[in-house]
């Protein structure tokens, strides 16, 4: 699983002109799954996201997690995180997982993240043409890949 995690002061996702979800202070998590991803990847990644200390404390030091600040999370599926750009100028997405495998992975990821957060996470819609808006706070952007845990 690959993610781009952005600390936001607000974020939303709109599908066909209708706002599906929005959050205030929290994290926008863009996630791409591949066929090789497992429950172990989900558990590791959700724990890392909930524990990631990228929110300011009273001394303006990034020392607090999403759990500490009571923030929200918006999760948006994004197969383009698996783009291969080594040959030519048109990216290949061969490593992006098939829908049969990645939809259940995405849904499980959202469910486990919600459990760990202690409240529902907002989501986009898997496979939809989404318009994502955000105000990146900082800006703070972290990329994580479960195949690079070390």
């Amino acid at each position: 699983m690959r993610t781009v995690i952005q600390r936001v002061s607000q974020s939303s996702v709109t599908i066909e002109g209708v706002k599906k979800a929005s959050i205030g202070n929290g994290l926008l998590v863009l996630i791409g799954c591949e066929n090789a991803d497992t429950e172990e990847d989900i558990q590791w990644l959700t724990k890392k996201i909930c524990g990631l200390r990228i929110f300011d404390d009273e001394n303006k030091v990034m020392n607090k997690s999403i759990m500490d600040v009571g923030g929200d999370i918006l999760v948006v599926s994004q197969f383009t995180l698996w783009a291969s750009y080594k040959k030519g100028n048109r990216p290949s997405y061969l490593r992006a997982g098939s829908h049969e495998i990645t939809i259940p992975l995405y849904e499980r990821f959202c469910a486990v993240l919600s459990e760990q957060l202690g409240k529902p996470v907002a989501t986009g819609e898997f496979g939809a043409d989404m318009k994502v808006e955000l105000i990146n706070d900082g800006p703070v952007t972290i990329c994580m890949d479960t195949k690079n845990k070390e």
Side-chain angles (χ1 to χ4, degrees), residues 65-150:
S65 71
I66 190 78
M67 306 293 288
D68 297 327
V69 300
D72 296 316
I73 298 178
L74 172 59
V75 180
V76 176
S77 63
Q78 190 167 4
F79 76 93
T80 59
L81 293 177
W82 286 103
S84 174
Y85 43 82
K86 292 184 179 182
K87 294 173 85 178
N89 291 320
R90 184 170 185 231
S92 166
Y93 303 103
L94 293 175
R95 286 207 41 208
S98 66
H99 281 193
E100 297 78 31
I101 294 173
T102 57
I103 290 173
L105 284 169
Y106 169 76
E107 290 172 350
R108 176 73 179 142
F109 172 84
C110 292
V112 172
L113 188 58
S114 180
E115 274 177 32
Q116 291 184 8
L117 187 62
K119 59 183 172 180
V121 297
T123 64
E125 182 179 312
F126 193 97
D129 181 12
M130 297 176 275
K131 308 303 180 209
V132 179
E133 293 183 276
L134 71 138
I135 298 178
N136 192 321
D137 181 17
V140 175
T141 302
I142 308 285
C143 298
M144 285 189 191
D145 188 324
T146 59
K147 304 308 185 259
N148 295 321
K149 296 176 188 170
E150 306 293 313

